[in-house]
Amino acid sequence: MAKNSLLDLLHDHAQNRGQETACLVKSDGKYGPVSWAKLWDEAKKVGKGLIAAGIQPGDRVNVIGHTCLQWIVNDLGILAAGAVTVPIYPSNLPDECQFVSDHSGARLVFAESADQVEKFLEQRDNLGEVIKVVQWTGDKRVEDEWVQTYAEFVAAGEAVSDEQLDERGASLEPESVLTIIYTSGTTGRPKGVVLTHANMLYEAEAIADTGLIHQDDIQLLFLPMAHVFAKVLEAGWLSTGHVLAFAESMNTIRDNLGEVRPTLMAGVPRVFEKFYAAVVDKGMANEGIARKLFAESMKLSQQNGELEEQGKKLGLARSAEFGLLKKTAFAKVGAGVMAILGGRMRVMISGGAPLSKKIAWFFRDAGIVILEGYGMTESSAASTVNFPGNNQIGTVGPALPGTQVKIAADGEILIKGPGVMREYWRNEEATKETLDEDGWLHTGDIGELDPKTKAVRITDRKKDLIITAGGKNIAPQRIENAVKIHKLISQCVVHGDRRKFISALITLDEQHLESFVHDKGLGGDYAVWTKAPAVRAEVEKLIAESNQELASYETIKKFEILDRDFSIETGELTAKLSVKRKVVNSKYGHLFDAFYEESFKA
């Protein structure tokens, strides 16, 4: 029977698999199960509370908080009431929360804590549509009827009948709006992407049909639910009915992996970069032959991958050496990584940003599967993905069944299919700029299609491409990723549009910087360390290593180390931790200009 909404998927599990485990949640120091029946019961309480509060079908409801069971319960309860979830990143500042809430016309807000409630209290005069803020954990800090505890909210909904709630759920249709997700935006105000139930039903069905996720999987979830990547993972979970385990926080992922022992995990590249850095640290800490073998393994892994991309193979002798290393050094690395992952990890999925090929090759050769996928908020997150047994590293895989991909004359990737958004909320001009008359979504990404496999290869963002004074087209992400693979580097932003050469601003990873200066016997703090000659010499060495992988015109000729890292609070990072290139170029433009003034004087 065809499904009209994501709510129908939940109903099926609650009715047919009610006592089976839907989620794993840590409480009192250990993980315990939450059944599908229990999940639906909790979602019903939220739905009834919303009806009692006066929320009508199609009304928008904000949810702000960290990823947890209650976030999902709130979301499913909003669907049960026939309303629309509009998530907000918990890291958003008060004025950013106000914009999303006001622009979406939200009527009610679910806020995780008193700290999150404070953001709305501060902006209350600018939130004319919001009738209530519901705080779902902790005690209220204010005696104000505008703010309600979760217990008070649920109690008010007890008078609402099951029949009333069922009518709301039955009113949902495939074209009903499911969610409005505001892109974090690297420039300007975010835009509200309108996704329907049909969009996510397609994604859920496509994911299930590919066999990428199995019903017997256990998935560890830690991505922010305000991000579309997490939303499509939720849809995939509702489709296949596997077990969803919630990490306590981003900082406890390693501990939670050992406790949950998942078979499936999805994350952004930064997660896998940290795993890689830890493995390299451990491998290079060895002495003698063990260190030498590890270093040779890394070298051969990259050489093999680069030749593979060219359709070539290692020579006979090197191939034999590589095969031996895979059975020895790599096998040991793989066993160690698998132990950290809990011992049962079947597959990991990377998305949201490009994954370094060097990292992907290394883990593959160690027997750890990381599949890269691609999409954007406007395409419901999943448009292309690689598969186990057909993982073409360096690409983001072929299009999902039912999705079309083509490359425009200027190299831009265009997408068409059931996952493409309806529109930008209350922004007709931006909608027309992004969706053409034939329904093609203009992604803003530059790429190419593999003629044999139809896998998509992304090179950069269209608006980020650098054209040097010499007329060379340069993709900055390729350079930045080559530098960021080093554990000491936190961020790298390159510059050079209409300039004679490439320059860069570098920020350092505080944890690894502290370890480095401790070994050197240096005192001080982060800002002082960034100016230390030993630190600069190390960064110069790392950039020189990265430059070896680049064409001469792509290499970084000059750089500056900033005395603090980028952050959301200081404005250089989006809520999903992407660099706001325009902000960085504006804020530090004087540093970039100085690179070229010095060159001119010389």
Side-chain angles (χ1 to χ4, degrees):
M1 182 178 175
K3 308 299 181 190
N4 287 326
S5 71
L6 286 189
L7 193 66
D8 289 344
L9 301 178
L10 174 61
H11 282 161
D12 275 2
H13 294 307
Q15 291 172 5
N16 301 320
R17 305 172 58 220
Q19 299 312 307
E20 294 181 33
T21 300
C23 305
L24 291 173
V25 180
K26 193 169 183 180
S27 179
D28 297 327
K30 63 179 181 179
Y31 274 91
V34 175
S35 70
W36 287 104
K38 176 67 173 176
L39 182 67
W40 173 228
D41 285 344
E42 295 301 313
K44 284 168 62 177
K45 292 176 184 177
V46 172
K48 290 180 177 182
L50 289 169
I51 293 173
I55 299 302
Q56 299 299 316
D59 279 354
R60 277 74 62 201
V61 178
N62 293 140
V63 185
I64 181 169
H66 293 88
T67 299
C68 62
L69 175 64
Q70 190 59 49
W71 206 109
I72 296 287
V73 167
N74 293 338
D75 184 34
L76 296 174
I78 292 167
L79 302 190
V84 178
T85 301
V86 184
I88 300 177
Y89 285 98
S91 58
N92 275 18
L93 300 174
D95 67 310
E96 294 170 326
C97 294
Q98 182 275 331
F99 175 79
V100 172
S101 190
D102 183 61
H103 187 266
S104 65
R107 302 282 322 286
L108 186 142
V109 177
F110 285 108
E112 181 178 16
S113 63
D115 286 342
Q116 298 293 356
V117 170
E118 286 287 346
K119 297 176 182 179
F120 293 86
L121 287 170
E122 182 180 318
Q123 294 287 330
R124 185 173 183 176
D125 291 344
N126 302 314
L127 294 169
E129 297 290 322
V130 176
I131 58 176
K132 200 167 292 294
V133 177
V134 178
Q135 181 180 324
W136 83 69
T137 64
D139 297 326
K140 291 197 305 181
R141 292 178 186 163
V142 294
E143 289 301 324
D144 188 325
E145 291 186 358
W146 195 61
V147 180
Q148 194 174 38
T149 66
Y150 186 72
E152 292 167 340
F153 167 77
V154 169
E158 290 176 356
V160 176
S161 68
D162 286 348
E163 288 73 24
Q164 287 175 280
L165 186 67
D166 290 344
E167 285 178 14
R168 289 291 185 91
S171 72
L172 293 172
E173 298 178 350
E175 293 308 316
S176 298
V177 178
L178 167 70
T179 184
I180 303 174
I181 298 179
Y182 280 76
T183 59
S184 47
T186 53
T187 59
R189 283 292 196 181
K191 298 186 286 287
V193 176
V194 178
L195 300 178
T196 65
H197 283 268
N199 287 142
M200 279 297 166
L201 283 170
Y202 159 72
E203 293 285 332
E205 184 177 351
I207 290 168
D209 286 349
T210 63
L212 186 60
I213 301 176
H214 307 159
Q215 189 177 96
D216 60 359
D217 273 324
I218 299 175
Q219 178 187 348
L220 184 67
L221 180 67
F222 49 80
L223 292 168
M225 290 304 302
H227 195 286
V228 71
F229 194 3
K231 189 66 185 177
V232 80
L233 291 173
E234 180 189 10
W237 162 64
L238 288 171
S239 176
T240 61
H242 64 272
V243 175
L244 191 64
F246 295 93
E248 296 170 88
S249 73
M250 290 294 289
N251 296 325
T252 63
I253 293 173
R254 182 162 178 168
D255 290 339
N256 298 152
L257 281 166
E259 295 166 312
V260 172
R261 301 182 65 231
T263 60
L264 171 72
M265 184 175 80
V268 294
R270 193 65 178 153
V271 173
F272 303 111
E273 287 166 8
K274 288 183 176 180
F275 275 118
Y276 176 77
V279 171
V280 171
D281 269 357
K282 187 173 181 180
M284 296 306 289
N286 291 320
E287 297 180 355
I289 188 65
R291 178 189 174 97
K292 185 178 180 181
L293 284 173
F294 182 82
E296 186 66 12
S297 297
M298 292 179 64
K299 180 181 176 181
L300 274 177
S301 176
Q302 184 169 351
Q303 286 181 358
N304 180 66
E306 289 170 349
L307 287 170
E308 188 179 89
E309 278 195 311
Q310 301 167 32
K312 301 177 182 177
K313 295 181 180 182
L314 290 169
L316 192 60
R318 296 293 268 171
S319 181
E321 181 186 357
F322 188 45
L324 181 61
L325 285 172
K326 284 206 282 189
K327 293 179 180 178
T328 54
F330 269 120
K332 187 175 180 181
V333 168
V337 173
M338 185 59 79
I340 292 172
L341 296 172
R344 298 191 299 192
M345 190 67 71
R346 184 177 62 80
V347 66
M348 296 188 288
I349 303 167
S350 178
L355 177 68
S356 163
K357 290 183 287 187
K358 185 176 180 179
I359 292 175
W361 288 326
F362 181 82
F363 279 117
R364 177 195 64 181
D365 294 336
I368 306 296
V369 181
I370 303 178
L371 305 174
E372 195 169 5
Y374 167 72
M376 52 198 301
T377 308
E378 290 85 344
S379 67
S380 303
S383 299
T384 73
V385 69
N386 277 297
F387 295 96
N390 188 23
N391 185 15
Q392 193 174 345
I393 292 173
T395 78
V396 290
L400 288 175
T403 292
Q404 301 175 61
V405 176
K406 72 177 182 178
I407 308 298
D410 63 356
E412 184 176 10
I413 298 170
L414 308 183
I415 296 174
K416 187 177 183 179
V420 172
M421 69 172 182
R422 173 187 291 179
E423 62 187 348
Y424 287 120
W425 182 254
R426 295 176 175 170
N427 196 336
E428 185 177 350
E429 182 181 351
T431 302
K432 288 181 178 179
E433 289 175 357
T434 306
L435 283 176
D436 66 27
E437 293 180 353
D438 295 323
W440 288 97
L441 172 69
H442 291 244
T443 66
D445 289 312
I446 299 294
E448 56 193 27
L449 280 173
D450 186 299
K452 291 183 179 179
T453 65
K454 302 304 179 185
V456 177
R457 183 176 283 105
I458 300 169
T459 56
D460 218 303
R461 289 291 293 167
K462 185 176 179 179
K463 64 185 178 184
D464 291 342
L465 283 177
I466 290 172
I467 303 176
T468 66
K472 294 289 188 181
N473 283 8
I474 294 175
Q477 283 188 359
R478 168 175 156 76
I479 305 170
E480 291 160 354
N481 288 340
V483 175
K484 289 196 312 182
I485 198 170
H486 299 291
K487 64 182 181 181
L488 187 59
I489 309 298
S490 175
Q491 299 289 350
C492 173
V493 178
V494 300
H495 182 80
D497 198 46
R498 307 295 188 269
R499 306 280 201 175
K500 290 194 295 182
F501 57 83
I502 297 298
S503 62
L505 292 182
I506 303 291
T507 70
L508 304 178
D509 181 277
E510 186 168 7
Q511 180 183 346
H512 286 101
L513 175 60
E514 187 171 356
S515 175
F516 178 83
V517 298
H518 180 268
D519 291 343
K520 299 291 183 183
L522 302 177
D525 57 18
Y526 185 98
V528 172
W529 297 333
T530 59
K531 305 304 178 188
V535 171
R536 183 168 184 88
E538 182 67 13
V539 174
E540 281 182 352
K541 186 184 83 170
L542 298 179
I543 288 178
E545 289 177 10
S546 301
N547 280 344
Q548 290 177 9
E549 301 179 20
L550 304 169
S552 59
Y553 58 84
E554 295 177 306
T555 57
I556 295 170
K557 304 297 193 297
K558 294 189 178 183
F559 69 92
E560 185 64 56
I561 304 171
L562 298 182
D563 61 5
R564 62 173 182 80
D565 203 352
F566 296 154
S567 70
I568 296 169
E569 292 72 23
T570 52
E572 300 95 351
L573 299 182
T574 69
K576 67 171 186 175
L577 304 182
S578 299
V579 172
K580 295 181 179 179
R581 198 177 295 275
K582 188 175 180 180
V583 171
V584 172
N585 284 334
S586 174
K587 184 179 284 191
Y588 300 104
H590 63 288
L591 295 179
F592 285 123
D593 289 342
F595 294 141
Y596 304 97
E597 287 169 7
E598 290 171 10
S599 174
F600 180 75
K601 290 173 185 175

